């Protein structure tokens, strides 16, 4: 299976429309691979909190339209990264606007929406995404012809229990769009490898390049195999990381070193 991670540059001097056109064109250029992945919140930038409201869109908004078409033009599975989704069907805290979510969109090669995932762990503690966006509640997997993909977004990478629930639902390949900052790049690489080793799964983690809202981005998108080996890693700038991997290696790794079978579930907290 071949995958391309588009480590997109998100800077403030480019308009969202221009970025959307550029992303669609880069996706089209990937015709011939099986899966293309874009990063988190690449229309606004993951740290551009002030733009979440103004640049939010309904699920089937302009980014959905552009990415559905790009996926079908290229004939690829497309994890289109995430958008600031405005859920017009929900009741917003401010007027009629409806709540926001950090929502990932996955399209099939015919341009149909195969899955969407609302980020469960919001970043920012008591500010930023954590207060501006609602939390998703449902882990999501999606079946591709060669592998079952488990979905997570950026800060989710720090929460191993989410990945265990994805593995319990059959995930073999964990796809993680992100807008991870340079300041914590060492955590990014370490956690991507940890999630691969502990879940005996592929990890495809796609970050952004550039600087937005004063936050330099780490880049360094990474693909890790079920043994924890790094198959490919990008540099800091805009780059397309294309990698070939064998989905069957998940089953052989889990058979040859069956650590997942030794899980002990439902441990009680220690008694005082
Ligand atoms: N957009 C994010 O989720 C940022 C996460 C982050 O900076 C971190 O976990 O560190």
């Amino acid at each position: 299976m071949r995958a391309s991670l588009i480590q997109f540059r998100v800077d403030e001097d480019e308009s969202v429309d221009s970025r959307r056109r550029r992303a669609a064109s880069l996706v089209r250029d990937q015709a011939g691979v099986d899966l293309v992945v874009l990063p988190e919140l690449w229309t606004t930038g993951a740290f551009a909190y002030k733009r979440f409201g103004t640049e939010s869109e309904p699920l089937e908004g302009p980014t959905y339209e552009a990415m559905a078409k790009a996926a079908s033009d290229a004939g690829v599975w497309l994890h289109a990264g995430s958008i600031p989704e405005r859920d017009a069907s929900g009741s917003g805290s401010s007027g009629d606007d409806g709540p926001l979510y950090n929502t990932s969109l996955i399209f099939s090669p015919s341009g149909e929406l195969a899955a969407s995932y609302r980020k469960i762990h919001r970043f920012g503690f008591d500010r930023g995404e954590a207060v501006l966006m609602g939390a998703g509640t449902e882990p999501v997997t999606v079946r591709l012809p060669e592998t079952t993909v488990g979905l997570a977004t950026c800060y989710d990478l720090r929460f191993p229990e989410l990945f265990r629930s994805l593995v319990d639902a059959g995930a073999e390949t964990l796809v993680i769009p992100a807008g991870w900052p340079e300041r914590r790049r060492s955590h990014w690489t370490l956690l991507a490898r940890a999630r691969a080793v502990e879940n005996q799964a592929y990890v495809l983690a796609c970050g952004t390049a550039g600087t937005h809202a004063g936050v330099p981005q780490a880049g360094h998108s990474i693909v890790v195999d079920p043994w924890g080996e790094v198959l490919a890693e990008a540099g800091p700038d805009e780059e397309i990381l294309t990698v070939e991997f064998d989905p069957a290696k998940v089953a052989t790794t889990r058979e040859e070193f069956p650590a997942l079978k030794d899980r002990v579930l439902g441990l009680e907290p220690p008694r005082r």
Side-chain angles (χ1 to χ4, degrees), residues 40-41 45-47 49 52 102 119 121-125 129 153-159 177-185 187-188 191 212 215 217:
E40 178 190 30
L41 296 177
F47 286 87
Y49 304 136
F52 287 177
N102 185 338
K119 184 178 181 182
H121 302 94
R122 296 158 301 163
F123 183 68
F125 310 110
E129 182 187 20
T153 306
C154 202
Y155 189 49
D156 280 335
L157 186 57
R158 294 185 181 272
F159 300 89
W180 202 275
E182 168 58 22
R183 168 92 180 80
R184 292 183 287 279
R185 174 152 73 87
H187 298 191
W188 164 253
L191 291 168
H212 62 266
V215 182
Q217 294 294 289

Side-chain angles (χ1 to χ4, degrees), residues 134-157:
T137 52
E138 284 177 39
V140 176
T141 59
V142 53
R143 181 66 202 164
L144 270 56
E146 307 87 348
T147 187
T148 299
V149 170
L151 304 177
T153 306
C154 202
Y155 189 49
D156 280 335
L157 186 57

